[in-house]
Amino acid sequence: MEPIREGLFVVNKDGTGYLVTNKCERCGIHFFPVRTKCIRCLKDDKLKTSALNKGGRLYTYTNVYRSLPHFKVPYIVGYIDFEEEGVRVFAPLAGCKMEDLEIGMEMDLVFEEMEMNEKSMQKMVYKFRPAKGKEEGKL
Amino acid sequence: MRKAYVMGIAMTKFHRDPKVSIEKMGAEAVLEAVEEAGIGLRDIQEVYCGNVYGGAGVGQKVMAEIGITGMPITNIENCCSSASNAFREVYWAVALGRIDIGLAVGVENLTRVLKGPIVDENDLEGAMGNNFAAIYAQRARRYMWTYGLKPEHLARIAVINKRNGYYNEKAAFGEIIDIHTVLNSPMVADPLHLYDSNTNANGGSAAVIVDEKTARRLGGKPVQIVGSSLKSGKLSDDFIDMTFEDVTDRAAQDAYNQAGCGPEDIDFAEVHDCFTIAEVLRVEGLGLCERGGMVRWIEEGTIEIGGKKPINPSGGLLAKGHPIGATGIAQIYEICKQLRGEAGRRQIPGARMGLAMNRGGAITGIEANACTVHILRL
């Protein structure tokens, strides 16, 4: 299935995959989506591509009931923080109901299609789901 | 730097009729502002026009409708802060001495083009469903988790602004409600209900800005612009705190510095309440209230007309409606009405200095495309 944007992530045949990030090795800053210049030194000579294939912590979330007509509502979305990298990623949340969610909980990265009312508009995206067996990971 | 004054300012009644053209709405506001200023149409030396969805040449279309073009006309798209951005450009053109009399216009017919929540689908997060209701709902949830704000607090803001708007004949959606109306209205993005959200609307707004000499010659009731700032959101190399507004803070500090005042000198403010939570974030971002302090301010009635720091006496976007290209000057319209003592039943007694804060857009990675802060006094 077609990804929502080229170059954002790589998915393997078994459904695993990673987000494509880059890092300025001079300034130590990570970027997702990748940048063509570091936002601190404004140079590109130390940018190195890397893969982000782990979970993060839920910063905040919502259940959206009203959206443009081709979005299938309601849908749950949120921001996930990757603490080590200093990167925050917005994404749809999968495999959960609102009552399962709590700010600070650990979330796993998954790749699924984004459900839309029009099949032709459905694209592959990255999503996050509550981490399995990591209840002690809550803040 | 020269002093600059709002000499005439006007807005149409906001509405949802898609058949009223942007030319007609823009012309109505311009003619009223020009008449109030006491200038002739041929005195206008330069025009800036804010609009988002009207396509090319909106400023030219408005001026052609009135029957006069030839002066420089510049169109500005800066999402929901387009009109205040146009106002800023005219202010600086006068303050820096390029012109003596300038016109700022804002106009939008939103109900003709948009049937749902505003979202930029060309933007990555927008394409993944992060519309503005979703963004503010997520900020609300984090703020509630951090400071103990409850949906009832947010509902109270809707009640206050809708009531203020009930006394504003230009507002499309003023009404007298209680918090149950808000809390029982359909959910838009949890925890925000329909009544926590602004409504797409249509309308026009315009302001004539002049230098000091012209203001003296014209007489009338000039309102001085003492601070005018525009900022964009910063790309961040670390996590940003979504319960605080860096861009609002920077624009406000810049405007306070220009005005030689601080937040404590501001008697009242019009802030960009696209959602109830947005009013909370804005009042704190402007430094009017300490961080987290809005919970008590809502409970104690501080933000109501009659309170210590009235916010959105016009009814705000929540009660007026939000024609995005016109909203910024409509906010400044209320500041001028209040300062001149012409606000009728929603008049704030003794209002001497007012602040208008307008912002718009949020591409992936930055907090807002634009944020303006204007400070005005008699």
Side-chain angles (χ1 to χ4, degrees), chain A residues 5 35 40 59-63 65-66 68 70 75 79 88 103, chain B residues 119 121-122 129-131 138 141-142 187-188 190 235 237 240 242:
Chain A
R5 291 273 195 288
R35 290 196 173 279
R40 189 175 292 172
Y59 178 76
T60 186
Y61 58 97
T62 184
N63 196 2
Y65 292 83
R66 294 205 178 197
L68 291 178
H70 48 271
Y75 57 85
Y79 286 94
R88 179 173 297 157
I103 286 174
Chain B
V119 61
E121 284 192 283
N122 297 317
N130 210 15
N131 62 37
Q138 290 169 91
R141 184 168 304 280
R142 186 75 191 189
M187 199 66 94
V188 171
D190 194 353
L235 287 168
D237 57 18
I240 61 157
M242 287 172 71

PDB file of all heavy atoms in Angstrom, chain A residues 5 35 40 59-63 65-66 68 70 75 79 88 103, chain B residues 119 121-122 129-131 138 141-142 187-188 190 235 237 240 242:
ATOM      1  N   ARG A   5       3.302   9.678   2.745  1.00  0.00           N
ATOM      2  CA  ARG A   5       4.339  10.516   2.126  1.00  0.00           C
ATOM      3  C   ARG A   5       5.548   9.631   1.845  1.00  0.00           C
ATOM      4  O   ARG A   5       5.825   8.719   2.629  1.00  0.00           O
ATOM      5  CB  ARG A   5       4.816  11.625   3.064  1.00  0.00           C
ATOM      6  CG  ARG A   5       3.829  12.708   3.360  1.00  0.00           C
ATOM      7  CD  ARG A   5       3.872  13.819   2.310  1.00  0.00           C
ATOM      8  NE  ARG A   5       3.195  15.011   2.782  1.00  0.00           N
ATOM      9  CZ  ARG A   5       1.876  15.151   2.919  1.00  0.00           C
ATOM     10  NH1 ARG A   5       1.069  14.144   2.652  1.00  0.00           N
ATOM     11  NH2 ARG A   5       1.356  16.292   3.348  1.00  0.00           N
ATOM     12  N   ARG A  35      15.299  16.666   8.008  1.00  0.00           N
ATOM     13  CA  ARG A  35      15.515  18.025   7.505  1.00  0.00           C
ATOM     14  C   ARG A  35      16.726  18.036   6.587  1.00  0.00           C
ATOM     15  O   ARG A  35      17.611  17.201   6.699  1.00  0.00           O
ATOM     16  CB  ARG A  35      15.747  18.992   8.666  1.00  0.00           C
ATOM     17  CG  ARG A  35      14.507  19.216   9.466  1.00  0.00           C
ATOM     18  CD  ARG A  35      14.597  20.432  10.357  1.00  0.00           C
ATOM     19  NE  ARG A  35      13.313  20.675  10.973  1.00  0.00           N
ATOM     20  CZ  ARG A  35      12.298  21.297  10.378  1.00  0.00           C
ATOM     21  NH1 ARG A  35      12.453  21.798   9.162  1.00  0.00           N
ATOM     22  NH2 ARG A  35      11.147  21.439  10.970  1.00  0.00           N
ATOM     23  N   ARG A  40      19.832  24.393  14.104  1.00  0.00           N
ATOM     24  CA  ARG A  40      20.686  25.183  14.999  1.00  0.00           C
ATOM     25  C   ARG A  40      21.877  25.775  14.229  1.00  0.00           C
ATOM     26  O   ARG A  40      22.049  26.987  14.202  1.00  0.00           O
ATOM     27  CB  ARG A  40      21.170  24.351  16.185  1.00  0.00           C
ATOM     28  CG  ARG A  40      21.865  25.220  17.235  1.00  0.00           C
ATOM     29  CD  ARG A  40      22.257  24.451  18.476  1.00  0.00           C
ATOM     30  NE  ARG A  40      21.086  24.011  19.245  1.00  0.00           N
ATOM     31  CZ  ARG A  40      21.155  23.181  20.291  1.00  0.00           C
ATOM     32  NH1 ARG A  40      22.327  22.681  20.675  1.00  0.00           N
ATOM     33  NH2 ARG A  40      20.067  22.827  20.936  1.00  0.00           N
ATOM     34  N   TYR A  59       2.358  12.016  25.132  1.00  0.00           N
ATOM     35  CA  TYR A  59       2.393  13.379  25.689  1.00  0.00           C
ATOM     36  C   TYR A  59       0.969  13.914  25.901  1.00  0.00           C
ATOM     37  O   TYR A  59       0.653  14.501  26.923  1.00  0.00           O
ATOM     38  CB  TYR A  59       3.166  14.308  24.749  1.00  0.00           C
ATOM     39  CG  TYR A  59       3.217  15.746  25.232  1.00  0.00           C
ATOM     40  CD1 TYR A  59       4.070  16.124  26.265  1.00  0.00           C
ATOM     41  CD2 TYR A  59       2.405  16.721  24.665  1.00  0.00           C
ATOM     42  CE1 TYR A  59       4.112  17.430  26.730  1.00  0.00           C
ATOM     43  CE2 TYR A  59       2.435  18.038  25.112  1.00  0.00           C
ATOM     44  CZ  TYR A  59       3.289  18.385  26.143  1.00  0.00           C
ATOM     45  OH  TYR A  59       3.317  19.686  26.601  1.00  0.00           O
ATOM     46  N   THR A  60       0.117  13.707  24.906  1.00  0.00           N
ATOM     47  CA  THR A  60      -1.302  14.063  25.020  1.00  0.00           C
ATOM     48  C   THR A  60      -2.060  13.386  23.890  1.00  0.00           C
ATOM     49  O   THR A  60      -1.440  12.833  22.970  1.00  0.00           O
ATOM     50  CB  THR A  60      -1.519  15.593  25.011  1.00  0.00           C
ATOM     51  OG1 THR A  60      -2.901  15.877  25.258  1.00  0.00           O
ATOM     52  CG2 THR A  60      -1.113  16.217  23.687  1.00  0.00           C
ATOM     53  N   TYR A  61      -3.403  13.404  23.948  1.00  0.00           N
ATOM     54  CA  TYR A  61      -4.197  12.665  22.967  1.00  0.00           C
ATOM     55  C   TYR A  61      -5.618  13.189  22.951  1.00  0.00           C
ATOM     56  O   TYR A  61      -6.043  13.910  23.853  1.00  0.00           O
ATOM     57  CB  TYR A  61      -4.196  11.164  23.310  1.00  0.00           C
ATOM     58  CG  TYR A  61      -4.737  10.871  24.692  1.00  0.00           C
ATOM     59  CD1 TYR A  61      -6.063  10.489  24.883  1.00  0.00           C
ATOM     60  CD2 TYR A  61      -3.924  10.999  25.811  1.00  0.00           C
ATOM     61  CE1 TYR A  61      -6.573  10.247  26.149  1.00  0.00           C
ATOM     62  CE2 TYR A  61      -4.421  10.769  27.089  1.00  0.00           C
ATOM     63  CZ  TYR A  61      -5.738  10.387  27.256  1.00  0.00           C
ATOM     64  OH  TYR A  61      -6.236  10.172  28.512  1.00  0.00           O
ATOM     65  N   THR A  62      -6.351  12.825  21.910  1.00  0.00           N
ATOM     66  CA  THR A  62      -7.774  13.188  21.838  1.00  0.00           C
ATOM     67  C   THR A  62      -8.512  12.200  20.951  1.00  0.00           C
ATOM     68  O   THR A  62      -7.894  11.475  20.160  1.00  0.00           O
ATOM     69  CB  THR A  62      -7.987  14.614  21.304  1.00  0.00           C
ATOM     70  OG1 THR A  62      -9.380  14.952  21.349  1.00  0.00           O
ATOM     71  CG2 THR A  62      -7.527  14.744  19.849  1.00  0.00           C
ATOM     72  N   ASN A  63      -9.830  12.212  21.082  1.00  0.00           N
ATOM     73  CA  ASN A  63     -10.692  11.456  20.191  1.00  0.00           C
ATOM     74  C   ASN A  63     -11.418  12.477  19.323  1.00  0.00           C
ATOM     75  O   ASN A  63     -12.123  13.345  19.835  1.00  0.00           O
ATOM     76  CB  ASN A  63     -11.691  10.638  21.026  1.00  0.00           C
ATOM     77  CG  ASN A  63     -12.354   9.533  20.217  1.00  0.00           C
ATOM     78  OD1 ASN A  63     -12.045   9.348  19.041  1.00  0.00           O
ATOM     79  ND2 ASN A  63     -13.256   8.804  20.845  1.00  0.00           N
ATOM     80  N   TYR A  65     -14.147  13.736  16.756  1.00  0.00           N
ATOM     81  CA  TYR A  65     -15.486  13.368  16.293  1.00  0.00           C
ATOM     82  C   TYR A  65     -15.890  14.103  15.027  1.00  0.00           C
ATOM     83  O   TYR A  65     -16.801  13.693  14.336  1.00  0.00           O
ATOM     84  CB  TYR A  65     -16.523  13.660  17.385  1.00  0.00           C
ATOM     85  CG  TYR A  65     -16.399  12.767  18.585  1.00  0.00           C
ATOM     86  CD1 TYR A  65     -15.481  13.040  19.598  1.00  0.00           C
ATOM     87  CD2 TYR A  65     -17.173  11.621  18.702  1.00  0.00           C
ATOM     88  CE1 TYR A  65     -15.363  12.206  20.709  1.00  0.00           C
ATOM     89  CE2 TYR A  65     -17.060  10.782  19.795  1.00  0.00           C
ATOM     90  CZ  TYR A  65     -16.155  11.083  20.792  1.00  0.00           C
ATOM     91  OH  TYR A  65     -16.044  10.249  21.873  1.00  0.00           O
ATOM     92  N   ARG A  66     -15.251  15.270  14.770  1.00  0.00           N
ATOM     93  CA  ARG A  66     -15.617  16.040  13.574  1.00  0.00           C
ATOM     94  C   ARG A  66     -14.379  16.298  12.757  1.00  0.00           C
ATOM     95  O   ARG A  66     -13.384  16.814  13.270  1.00  0.00           O
ATOM     96  CB  ARG A  66     -16.254  17.369  13.968  1.00  0.00           C
ATOM     97  CG  ARG A  66     -17.568  17.155  14.640  1.00  0.00           C
ATOM     98  CD  ARG A  66     -18.453  18.359  14.494  1.00  0.00           C
ATOM     99  NE  ARG A  66     -19.735  18.027  15.135  1.00  0.00           N
ATOM    100  CZ  ARG A  66     -20.850  18.693  14.944  1.00  0.00           C
ATOM    101  NH1 ARG A  66     -20.861  19.728  14.142  1.00  0.00           N
ATOM    102  NH2 ARG A  66     -21.953  18.332  15.534  1.00  0.00           N
ATOM    103  N   LEU A  68     -12.951  16.424   8.232  1.00  0.00           N
ATOM    104  CA  LEU A  68     -13.400  16.524   6.846  1.00  0.00           C
ATOM    105  C   LEU A  68     -14.115  15.221   6.455  1.00  0.00           C
ATOM    106  O   LEU A  68     -13.852  14.171   7.043  1.00  0.00           O
ATOM    107  CB  LEU A  68     -12.199  16.797   5.932  1.00  0.00           C
ATOM    108  CG  LEU A  68     -11.582  18.187   6.119  1.00  0.00           C
ATOM    109  CD1 LEU A  68     -10.368  18.353   5.221  1.00  0.00           C
ATOM    110  CD2 LEU A  68     -12.593  19.294   5.840  1.00  0.00           C
ATOM    111  N   HIS A  70     -13.987  12.897   4.309  1.00  0.00           N
ATOM    112  CA  HIS A  70     -13.358  11.616   3.955  1.00  0.00           C
ATOM    113  C   HIS A  70     -12.663  10.938   5.131  1.00  0.00           C
ATOM    114  O   HIS A  70     -12.205   9.812   5.027  1.00  0.00           O
ATOM    115  CB  HIS A  70     -12.400  11.788   2.781  1.00  0.00           C
ATOM    116  CG  HIS A  70     -11.454  12.929   2.918  1.00  0.00           C
ATOM    117  ND1 HIS A  70     -11.766  14.193   2.480  1.00  0.00           N
ATOM    118  CD2 HIS A  70     -10.238  13.005   3.468  1.00  0.00           C
ATOM    119  CE1 HIS A  70     -10.756  14.995   2.737  1.00  0.00           C
ATOM    120  NE2 HIS A  70      -9.818  14.308   3.350  1.00  0.00           N
ATOM    121  N   TYR A  75     -11.863   9.158  15.468  1.00  0.00           N
ATOM    122  CA  TYR A  75     -10.526   8.546  15.445  1.00  0.00           C
ATOM    123  C   TYR A  75      -9.672   9.158  16.549  1.00  0.00           C
ATOM    124  O   TYR A  75      -9.823  10.323  16.884  1.00  0.00           O
ATOM    125  CB  TYR A  75      -9.861   8.704  14.071  1.00  0.00           C
ATOM    126  CG  TYR A  75      -9.717  10.127  13.558  1.00  0.00           C
ATOM    127  CD1 TYR A  75      -8.634  10.926  13.929  1.00  0.00           C
ATOM    128  CD2 TYR A  75     -10.655  10.670  12.681  1.00  0.00           C
ATOM    129  CE1 TYR A  75      -8.497  12.223  13.436  1.00  0.00           C
ATOM    130  CE2 TYR A  75     -10.536  11.968  12.198  1.00  0.00           C
ATOM    131  CZ  TYR A  75      -9.453  12.724  12.575  1.00  0.00           C
ATOM    132  OH  TYR A  75      -9.314  14.003  12.093  1.00  0.00           O
ATOM    133  N   TYR A  79       0.246  12.761  20.520  1.00  0.00           N
ATOM    134  CA  TYR A  79       1.667  13.084  20.326  1.00  0.00           C
ATOM    135  C   TYR A  79       2.499  12.140  21.199  1.00  0.00           C
ATOM    136  O   TYR A  79       2.199  11.947  22.382  1.00  0.00           O
ATOM    137  CB  TYR A  79       1.960  14.520  20.747  1.00  0.00           C
ATOM    138  CG  TYR A  79       1.466  15.575  19.786  1.00  0.00           C
ATOM    139  CD1 TYR A  79       0.217  16.177  19.957  1.00  0.00           C
ATOM    140  CD2 TYR A  79       2.260  15.980  18.710  1.00  0.00           C
ATOM    141  CE1 TYR A  79      -0.230  17.158  19.087  1.00  0.00           C
ATOM    142  CE2 TYR A  79       1.814  16.962  17.834  1.00  0.00           C
ATOM    143  CZ  TYR A  79       0.574  17.550  18.023  1.00  0.00           C
ATOM    144  OH  TYR A  79       0.133  18.524  17.160  1.00  0.00           O
ATOM    145  N   ARG A  88       9.236  14.719  19.074  1.00  0.00           N
ATOM    146  CA  ARG A  88       7.817  14.481  19.337  1.00  0.00           C
ATOM    147  C   ARG A  88       7.118  14.202  18.010  1.00  0.00           C
ATOM    148  O   ARG A  88       7.293  14.959  17.056  1.00  0.00           O
ATOM    149  CB  ARG A  88       7.174  15.679  20.032  1.00  0.00           C
ATOM    150  CG  ARG A  88       5.681  15.484  20.306  1.00  0.00           C
ATOM    151  CD  ARG A  88       5.105  16.614  21.143  1.00  0.00           C
ATOM    152  NE  ARG A  88       5.725  16.644  22.457  1.00  0.00           N
ATOM    153  CZ  ARG A  88       5.779  17.718  23.231  1.00  0.00           C
ATOM    154  NH1 ARG A  88       5.279  18.848  22.822  1.00  0.00           N
ATOM    155  NH2 ARG A  88       6.352  17.647  24.412  1.00  0.00           N
ATOM    156  N   ILE A 103      -1.807   9.969  29.969  1.00  0.00           N
ATOM    157  CA  ILE A 103      -0.604  10.745  29.657  1.00  0.00           C
ATOM    158  C   ILE A 103       0.604  10.103  30.334  1.00  0.00           C
ATOM    159  O   ILE A 103       0.525   9.724  31.501  1.00  0.00           O
ATOM    160  CB  ILE A 103      -0.788  12.210  30.104  1.00  0.00           C
ATOM    161  CG1 ILE A 103      -1.745  12.932  29.141  1.00  0.00           C
ATOM    162  CG2 ILE A 103       0.557  12.937  30.176  1.00  0.00           C
ATOM    163  CD1 ILE A 103      -2.120  14.340  29.552  1.00  0.00           C
TER     164      ILE A 103
ATOM    165  N   VAL B 119      -8.530  22.652   8.229  1.00  0.00           N
ATOM    166  CA  VAL B 119      -7.337  21.806   8.279  1.00  0.00           C
ATOM    167  C   VAL B 119      -6.553  22.018   6.988  1.00  0.00           C
ATOM    168  O   VAL B 119      -7.125  22.232   5.931  1.00  0.00           O
ATOM    169  CB  VAL B 119      -7.719  20.317   8.463  1.00  0.00           C
ATOM    170  CG1 VAL B 119      -8.563  19.807   7.313  1.00  0.00           C
ATOM    171  CG2 VAL B 119      -6.489  19.442   8.651  1.00  0.00           C
ATOM    172  N   GLU B 121      -4.590  20.154   4.492  1.00  0.00           N
ATOM    173  CA  GLU B 121      -4.291  18.777   4.117  1.00  0.00           C
ATOM    174  C   GLU B 121      -2.992  18.628   3.333  1.00  0.00           C
ATOM    175  O   GLU B 121      -2.537  17.519   3.078  1.00  0.00           O
ATOM    176  CB  GLU B 121      -5.446  18.190   3.312  1.00  0.00           C
ATOM    177  CG  GLU B 121      -6.627  17.837   4.188  1.00  0.00           C
ATOM    178  CD  GLU B 121      -7.631  17.006   3.429  1.00  0.00           C
ATOM    179  OE1 GLU B 121      -8.366  17.582   2.627  1.00  0.00           O
ATOM    180  OE2 GLU B 121      -7.635  15.788   3.621  1.00  0.00           O
ATOM    181  N   ASN B 122      -2.419  19.764   2.931  1.00  0.00           N
ATOM    182  CA  ASN B 122      -1.103  19.682   2.307  1.00  0.00           C
ATOM    183  C   ASN B 122      -0.021  19.482   3.358  1.00  0.00           C
ATOM    184  O   ASN B 122       1.099  19.123   3.049  1.00  0.00           O
ATOM    185  CB  ASN B 122      -0.805  20.960   1.508  1.00  0.00           C
ATOM    186  CG  ASN B 122      -1.792  21.118   0.378  1.00  0.00           C
ATOM    187  OD1 ASN B 122      -2.099  20.146  -0.307  1.00  0.00           O
ATOM    188  ND2 ASN B 122      -2.298  22.320   0.197  1.00  0.00           N
ATOM    189  N   GLY B 129      -5.070  13.913   9.989  1.00  0.00           N
ATOM    190  CA  GLY B 129      -6.271  14.159  10.791  1.00  0.00           C
ATOM    191  C   GLY B 129      -6.097  15.146  11.927  1.00  0.00           C
ATOM    192  O   GLY B 129      -6.984  15.301  12.760  1.00  0.00           O
ATOM    193  N   ASN B 130      -4.957  15.834  11.962  1.00  0.00           N
ATOM    194  CA  ASN B 130      -4.731  16.789  13.049  1.00  0.00           C
ATOM    195  C   ASN B 130      -5.326  18.150  12.680  1.00  0.00           C
ATOM    196  O   ASN B 130      -4.605  19.108  12.421  1.00  0.00           O
ATOM    197  CB  ASN B 130      -3.228  16.917  13.330  1.00  0.00           C
ATOM    198  CG  ASN B 130      -2.939  17.249  14.788  1.00  0.00           C
ATOM    199  OD1 ASN B 130      -3.811  17.118  15.648  1.00  0.00           O
ATOM    200  ND2 ASN B 130      -1.722  17.674  15.057  1.00  0.00           N
ATOM    201  N   ASN B 131      -6.662  18.227  12.661  1.00  0.00           N
ATOM    202  CA  ASN B 131      -7.289  19.517  12.379  1.00  0.00           C
ATOM    203  C   ASN B 131      -7.173  20.412  13.617  1.00  0.00           C
ATOM    204  O   ASN B 131      -6.679  19.990  14.665  1.00  0.00           O
ATOM    205  CB  ASN B 131      -8.732  19.335  11.901  1.00  0.00           C
ATOM    206  CG  ASN B 131      -9.624  18.672  12.932  1.00  0.00           C
ATOM    207  OD1 ASN B 131      -9.493  18.911  14.126  1.00  0.00           O
ATOM    208  ND2 ASN B 131     -10.522  17.815  12.469  1.00  0.00           N
ATOM    209  N   GLN B 138      -5.931  18.402  22.187  1.00  0.00           N
ATOM    210  CA  GLN B 138      -4.738  17.777  22.769  1.00  0.00           C
ATOM    211  C   GLN B 138      -4.032  18.735  23.725  1.00  0.00           C
ATOM    212  O   GLN B 138      -3.538  18.339  24.782  1.00  0.00           O
ATOM    213  CB  GLN B 138      -3.800  17.301  21.658  1.00  0.00           C
ATOM    214  CG  GLN B 138      -4.383  16.111  20.901  1.00  0.00           C
ATOM    215  CD  GLN B 138      -3.597  15.801  19.649  1.00  0.00           C
ATOM    216  OE1 GLN B 138      -2.665  15.018  19.677  1.00  0.00           O
ATOM    217  NE2 GLN B 138      -3.959  16.428  18.536  1.00  0.00           N
ATOM    218  N   ARG B 141      -6.138  18.731  26.903  1.00  0.00           N
ATOM    219  CA  ARG B 141      -5.945  17.559  27.758  1.00  0.00           C
ATOM    220  C   ARG B 141      -4.651  17.684  28.562  1.00  0.00           C
ATOM    221  O   ARG B 141      -4.609  17.380  29.755  1.00  0.00           O
ATOM    222  CB  ARG B 141      -5.921  16.278  26.930  1.00  0.00           C
ATOM    223  CG  ARG B 141      -5.808  15.019  27.773  1.00  0.00           C
ATOM    224  CD  ARG B 141      -6.085  13.778  26.947  1.00  0.00           C
ATOM    225  NE  ARG B 141      -7.388  13.853  26.314  1.00  0.00           N
ATOM    226  CZ  ARG B 141      -8.543  13.587  26.916  1.00  0.00           C
ATOM    227  NH1 ARG B 141      -8.552  13.184  28.174  1.00  0.00           N
ATOM    228  NH2 ARG B 141      -9.678  13.691  26.268  1.00  0.00           N
ATOM    229  N   ARG B 142      -3.601  18.152  27.921  1.00  0.00           N
ATOM    230  CA  ARG B 142      -2.320  18.300  28.631  1.00  0.00           C
ATOM    231  C   ARG B 142      -2.415  19.387  29.709  1.00  0.00           C
ATOM    232  O   ARG B 142      -1.877  19.243  30.802  1.00  0.00           O
ATOM    233  CB  ARG B 142      -1.215  18.641  27.612  1.00  0.00           C
ATOM    234  CG  ARG B 142       0.175  18.682  28.205  1.00  0.00           C
ATOM    235  CD  ARG B 142       0.727  17.293  28.474  1.00  0.00           C
ATOM    236  NE  ARG B 142       1.949  17.360  29.271  1.00  0.00           N
ATOM    237  CZ  ARG B 142       2.747  16.329  29.515  1.00  0.00           C
ATOM    238  NH1 ARG B 142       2.465  15.140  29.020  1.00  0.00           N
ATOM    239  NH2 ARG B 142       3.831  16.465  30.259  1.00  0.00           N
ATOM    240  N   MET B 187     -19.655  16.352  21.166  1.00  0.00           N
ATOM    241  CA  MET B 187     -18.202  16.411  21.278  1.00  0.00           C
ATOM    242  C   MET B 187     -17.605  16.659  19.884  1.00  0.00           C
ATOM    243  O   MET B 187     -18.027  16.047  18.905  1.00  0.00           O
ATOM    244  CB  MET B 187     -17.700  15.081  21.844  1.00  0.00           C
ATOM    245  CG  MET B 187     -16.317  15.125  22.425  1.00  0.00           C
ATOM    246  SD  MET B 187     -16.199  16.170  23.909  1.00  0.00           S
ATOM    247  CE  MET B 187     -16.422  14.952  25.213  1.00  0.00           C
ATOM    248  N   VAL B 188     -16.637  17.559  19.805  1.00  0.00           N
ATOM    249  CA  VAL B 188     -15.933  17.822  18.548  1.00  0.00           C
ATOM    250  C   VAL B 188     -14.610  17.076  18.549  1.00  0.00           C
ATOM    251  O   VAL B 188     -14.270  16.352  17.616  1.00  0.00           O
ATOM    252  CB  VAL B 188     -15.720  19.340  18.358  1.00  0.00           C
ATOM    253  CG1 VAL B 188     -14.808  19.622  17.174  1.00  0.00           C
ATOM    254  CG2 VAL B 188     -17.062  20.030  18.166  1.00  0.00           C
ATOM    255  N   ASP B 190     -12.501  15.409  21.949  1.00  0.00           N
ATOM    256  CA  ASP B 190     -12.518  15.253  23.404  1.00  0.00           C
ATOM    257  C   ASP B 190     -11.311  15.944  24.046  1.00  0.00           C
ATOM    258  O   ASP B 190     -10.185  15.643  23.673  1.00  0.00           O
ATOM    259  CB  ASP B 190     -12.497  13.736  23.683  1.00  0.00           C
ATOM    260  CG  ASP B 190     -12.848  13.406  25.113  1.00  0.00           C
ATOM    261  OD1 ASP B 190     -12.987  14.337  25.921  1.00  0.00           O
ATOM    262  OD2 ASP B 190     -12.972  12.203  25.413  1.00  0.00           O
ATOM    263  N   LEU B 235      10.903  27.004  14.997  1.00  0.00           N
ATOM    264  CA  LEU B 235      11.269  25.598  14.912  1.00  0.00           C
ATOM    265  C   LEU B 235      11.994  25.274  16.208  1.00  0.00           C
ATOM    266  O   LEU B 235      12.870  26.019  16.643  1.00  0.00           O
ATOM    267  CB  LEU B 235      12.209  25.369  13.727  1.00  0.00           C
ATOM    268  CG  LEU B 235      11.547  25.439  12.354  1.00  0.00           C
ATOM    269  CD1 LEU B 235      12.608  25.496  11.276  1.00  0.00           C
ATOM    270  CD2 LEU B 235      10.633  24.237  12.138  1.00  0.00           C
ATOM    271  N   ASP B 237      14.236  22.742  18.726  1.00  0.00           N
ATOM    272  CA  ASP B 237      15.156  21.600  18.723  1.00  0.00           C
ATOM    273  C   ASP B 237      14.962  20.754  19.985  1.00  0.00           C
ATOM    274  O   ASP B 237      15.772  19.931  20.328  1.00  0.00           O
ATOM    275  CB  ASP B 237      16.612  22.054  18.564  1.00  0.00           C
ATOM    276  CG  ASP B 237      17.024  23.034  19.641  1.00  0.00           C
ATOM    277  OD1 ASP B 237      16.344  23.099  20.669  1.00  0.00           O
ATOM    278  OD2 ASP B 237      18.031  23.733  19.442  1.00  0.00           O
ATOM    279  N   ILE B 240       8.466  21.103  23.002  1.00  0.00           N
ATOM    280  CA  ILE B 240       7.836  22.336  23.438  1.00  0.00           C
ATOM    281  C   ILE B 240       6.734  21.998  24.429  1.00  0.00           C
ATOM    282  O   ILE B 240       6.130  20.927  24.364  1.00  0.00           O
ATOM    283  CB  ILE B 240       7.273  23.178  22.267  1.00  0.00           C
ATOM    284  CG1 ILE B 240       6.188  22.402  21.506  1.00  0.00           C
ATOM    285  CG2 ILE B 240       8.376  23.632  21.338  1.00  0.00           C
ATOM    286  CD1 ILE B 240       5.251  23.306  20.749  1.00  0.00           C
ATOM    287  N   MET B 242       3.248  22.297  25.421  1.00  0.00           N
ATOM    288  CA  MET B 242       2.025  22.673  24.709  1.00  0.00           C
ATOM    289  C   MET B 242       1.002  23.371  25.611  1.00  0.00           C
ATOM    290  O   MET B 242      -0.041  23.803  25.140  1.00  0.00           O
ATOM    291  CB  MET B 242       1.408  21.458  24.010  1.00  0.00           C
ATOM    292  CG  MET B 242       2.225  21.042  22.795  1.00  0.00           C
ATOM    293  SD  MET B 242       1.717  19.479  22.038  1.00  0.00           S
ATOM    294  CE  MET B 242       0.170  19.923  21.309  1.00  0.00           C
TER     295      MET B 242
END
